[in-house]
Amino acid sequence: MKKVSVVIPVYFEEKSIHTLFEELRKMESGLTNLGLELELIFVDDGSQDNTVKMLLDLKKDRPETRIIKLTRNFGAINASKTGLKFVTGDCFTIIAADLQDPPHLIVEMAEKWLNGSKYIICTRNKKRADPLMTRIFASLYYRLIRLFVVKDFPKGGFDMAMWDKEMLPYIRDCSKNINRSLYAHWLGYKAEIINYNRPVRKNGKSKWTLGKKFNLFLDSFLGFSILPIRLISAIGICVSFLSFIYGIIIIIGAISGTLAVQGFATIVTLISFLLGLVIIMLGVIGEYIWRIFDEVNQRPEAIIDEVY
Ligand code: UDP
Ligand code: MG
């Protein structure tokens, strides 16, 4: 029997667990109808509430469920990546515990997988219920991504995907500072698309903060594109060229005697402008260096405390 693996990172989800489990049960019978087996892997990302206890209770009803407990909070990406190490299925997916990724879609994706697709993604329908600013930033982000990173990336990104086990090594072993959805798409497998309406989070609140979004933005660009460095070089060349011309004008002025000793304002403006530019450039280079360092040092992405 072919097996579908589902990895679910959980963090302070005691309110969602029960409904989630019910939905997963329904999804499992859907899979059974297709002749598929379900492998469930929960990864507790250091929750300090009853999440693990509840999962262990539910495991009594469904003993083959795997629960991996991390020593502390490592973030959803690292948690789900740890879960991927335990995947033994023929295809796999990662979903959130808050039911924003509706489990019934797993059945639809599995059907497409059975029909031969190796990579299936679920993109949300146009209407987003998010605040205006979020929508503006999201749209700008995806526009830039499509322009500079992955040309055929879906316009609104995607939240759920199912991958054939052929893709597992790439995704499980990908480098630390990488945007996983982008990377999956970058691999080049042709994506089959399912459209769905993304529900809003019912219980608890999203831990998807502005800081994390900014980080993702940097990872997406710095991780896939040499553009920021090219931009720095281009600005450097323009500025040097302008400075060179300005230098010539000043020298000519000095030789012909038309240059009185003035120019305090010019000097101050130029120095502060150029210093600002240099500091920004150092910042961009620093971002790259940090990523290189993070990649080459042997620090693991997450530590497993217990496997049930
Ligand atoms: N999550 C996690 N560690 C974290 C934050 C979130 O494992 O530090 C889990 C969370 O329990 C959920 C999934 O990752 O199952 C997605 O989180 P959330 O719903 O907060 O993100 P959003 O829906 O806003 O992207
Ligand atoms: Mg969510």
Side-chain angles (χ1 to χ4, degrees):
M1 213 160 155
K2 298 259 187 194
K3 192 159 55 178
V4 178
S5 301
V6 177
V7 173
I8 310 175
V10 283
Y11 184 51
F12 283 96
E13 297 286 5
E14 57 181 15
K15 291 208 185 80
S16 311
I17 295 276
H18 270 293
T19 16
L20 171 69
F21 222 80
E22 276 167 29
E23 289 294 317
L24 289 173
R25 281 294 202 184
K26 279 186 225 156
M27 182 267 290
E28 183 167 19
S29 52
L31 288 180
T32 315
N33 291 342
L34 293 175
L36 293 167
E37 202 183 325
L38 171 69
E39 174 177 64
L40 258 188
I41 303 170
F42 286 95
V43 185
D44 173 66
D45 192 17
S47 308
Q48 299 292 325
D49 60 355
N50 283 321
T51 303
V52 177
K53 200 178 147 287
M54 289 171 74
L55 286 175
L56 287 172
D57 278 347
L58 290 166
K59 186 176 161 71
K60 286 181 198 142
D61 282 346
R62 195 181 178 284
E64 63 278 30
T65 307
R66 305 209 77 171
I67 301 164
I68 295 143
K69 183 174 175 293
L70 304 182
T71 52
R72 63 167 173 85
N73 180 248
F74 287 92
I77 302 278
N78 293 332
S80 52
K81 228 172 144 187
T82 307
L84 291 183
K85 297 201 173 102
F86 293 83
V87 163
T88 61
D90 299 281
C91 63
F92 63 101
T93 178
I94 300 168
I95 63 167
D98 59 3
L99 292 175
Q100 279 194 290
D101 303 335
H104 67 85
L105 283 177
I106 295 177
V107 183
E108 281 182 45
M109 291 196 288
E111 227 175 331
K112 296 216 185 288
W113 174 74
L114 279 175
N115 287 335
S117 303
K118 286 182 184 167
Y119 175 40
I120 303 111
I121 59 178
C122 299
T123 57
R124 54 177 101 170
N125 283 332
K126 269 265 157 2
K127 277 180 257 119
R128 278 178 74 140
D130 299 325
L132 184 70
M133 278 317 262
T134 314
R135 272 179 310 181
I136 292 177
F137 278 123
S139 128
L140 188 71
Y141 170 77
Y142 289 116
R143 216 163 267 216
L144 288 173
I145 292 289
R146 283 165 63 85
L147 206 58
F148 295 114
V149 186
V150 181
K151 301 238 163 351
D152 60 344
F153 199 66
K155 283 204 174 79
F158 62 90
D159 303 283
M160 283 178 88
M162 182 170 279
W163 300 281
D164 188 86
K165 68 164 184 277
E166 200 178 303
M167 292 172 78
L168 179 64
Y170 300 112
I171 294 171
R172 183 192 54 205
D173 306 330
C174 72
S175 57
K176 288 178 194 162
N177 298 294
I178 212 160
N179 172 335
R180 187 169 51 209
S181 329
L182 262 186
Y183 177 67
H185 225 74
W186 175 92
L187 290 174
Y189 290 90
K190 183 100 191 68
E192 186 153 346
I193 297 174
I194 298 176
N195 266 303
Y196 77 110
N197 289 315
R198 188 168 169 84
V200 291
R201 192 182 233 282
K202 286 200 187 74
N203 299 303
K205 62 171 192 279
S206 167
K207 291 121 212 152
W208 187 224
T209 55
L210 190 71
K212 287 186 188 163
K213 284 182 195 169
F214 186 64
N215 229 346
L216 182 80
F217 174 77
L218 287 183
D219 281 345
S220 310
F221 276 91
L222 304 184
F224 285 91
S225 164
I226 197 181
L227 189 82
I229 290 190
R230 287 273 152 79
L231 215 61
I232 290 181
S233 312
I235 294 174
I237 290 172
C238 291
V239 170
S240 318
F241 182 70
L242 291 176
S243 314
F244 184 70
I245 300 210
Y246 185 60
I248 291 180
I249 294 174
I250 296 283
I251 289 172
I252 293 175
I255 292 173
S256 64
T258 53
L259 189 78
V261 187
Q262 272 178 351
F264 179 67
T266 320
I267 290 176
V268 171
T269 317
L270 272 182
I271 288 183
S272 39
F273 173 70
L274 291 178
L275 271 184
L277 215 59
V278 169
I279 293 170
I280 292 173
M281 290 169 177
L282 279 178
V284 174
I285 294 171
E287 289 284 345
Y288 279 103
I289 293 181
W290 157 252
R291 281 169 173 75
I292 297 170
F293 169 70
D294 197 28
E295 216 53 62
V296 295
N297 83 11
Q298 299 289 314
R299 189 174 53 79
E301 289 161 289
I303 308 288
I304 298 172
D305 190 14
E306 208 86 58
V307 179
Y308 304 99

